[in-house]
Amino acid sequence: MTTTPSEQGTGVSLGMPQLPAPDYPADVRARLDADAKDVIARYPGSRSALLPLLHLVQSEEGHVTRTGMRFCAEMLGLTTAEVTAVATFYTMYRRKPSGDYQVGVCTNTLCAVMGGDAIFDELKQHLGVGNDETTEDGKITLEHIECNAACDFAPVVMVNWEFFDNQTPESAKRLVDDLRAGVPVEPTRGAPLCTYKETARILAGFPDQRPGAVEASGGAGPASLIGLRLAKGEEPQPRVVHPRTGGPQDEAPAEHLSSHDAPQETSASDPAHPAGPAAEEGE
């Protein structure tokens, strides 16, 4: 098949369309059939099961393949175009092979200002990859991500959607080095870390069978709950979370408040500086 000069370098081909996606091997198909039927049975309308089914096929190959989308379409009575429209809309579905650990650096406004941009730049150089690229050993896929509703702990790095709060470029580099070396790492809060395929199966709605994993899942961090505690008349906890400043055996670092929890004196709360009309320029 040839391309015209206008097609060269664009990645666009006007030749023959792709052949239909191949099916899974018989043993894989039988196993996925049973799992998919379990998922579909949870919903009054079968097409509502599409999102968890996409996580299910992602748990098989580490990303959503054309074969996976064909499988979802057949199980739900949809067209592959309908499945593709959903799979390409949500960023949690990978469209190409990825690493065992998806390392996402929040570069939304607050995390960026608090150091997220610096962390992302350092990790790109340290790992030798760009955004949405995977290291040669297949361990780490690096990407910048949007807000994960953890602004209390900015800057935040997520690994397979588990939180690593109050990060620095140095702690983030130690984190990825530990992941590549197989050294166990502990999220700041939430369930213990597992591989991306294992995470995808959990997101498909299957129970996490690891001992203690469900109990460790926890909830929101203390800084996120301060407003609720105040509303209940409770005293907020003074210490929120420690930064990850060293390896797994390091001693706990000095007390570190979330950057947004310390009360600040303002004109409304400081009698020495009462609020008043803003002065005109030059006054």
Side-chain angles (χ1 to χ4, degrees), residues 121-199:
D121 289 340
E122 290 268 359
L123 287 183
K124 285 193 293 184
Q125 182 176 1
H126 185 68
L127 295 171
V129 297
N131 181 49
D132 201 27
E133 293 181 355
T134 302
T135 54
E136 292 184 358
D137 58 10
K139 293 290 186 179
I140 304 289
T141 295
L142 178 68
E143 67 174 352
H144 70 80
I145 52 178
E146 293 300 320
C147 182
N148 282 277
C151 302
D152 311 63
F153 307 103
V156 171
V157 173
M158 299 196 79
V159 181
N160 295 348
W161 310 115
E162 299 295 346
F163 287 99
F164 291 80
D165 301 323
N166 293 306
Q167 291 292 292
T168 66
E170 291 71 27
S171 68
K173 285 187 285 188
R174 285 193 295 269
L175 171 61
V176 296
D177 286 346
D178 287 347
L179 291 172
R180 298 182 78 179
V183 176
V185 299
E186 293 291 334
T188 308
R189 49 202 164 93
L193 201 61
C194 58
T195 67
Y196 190 66
K197 289 182 179 180
E198 293 169 332
T199 301

Side-chain angles (χ1 to χ4, degrees), residues 91-116:
T91 58
M92 289 181 74
Y93 301 120
R94 307 289 300 178
R95 296 300 310 282
K96 61 183 180 181
S98 59
D100 293 332
Y101 299 100
Q102 181 174 307
V103 176
V105 181
C106 182
T107 55
N108 214 317
T109 306
L110 186 54
C111 277
V113 169
M114 298 297 293

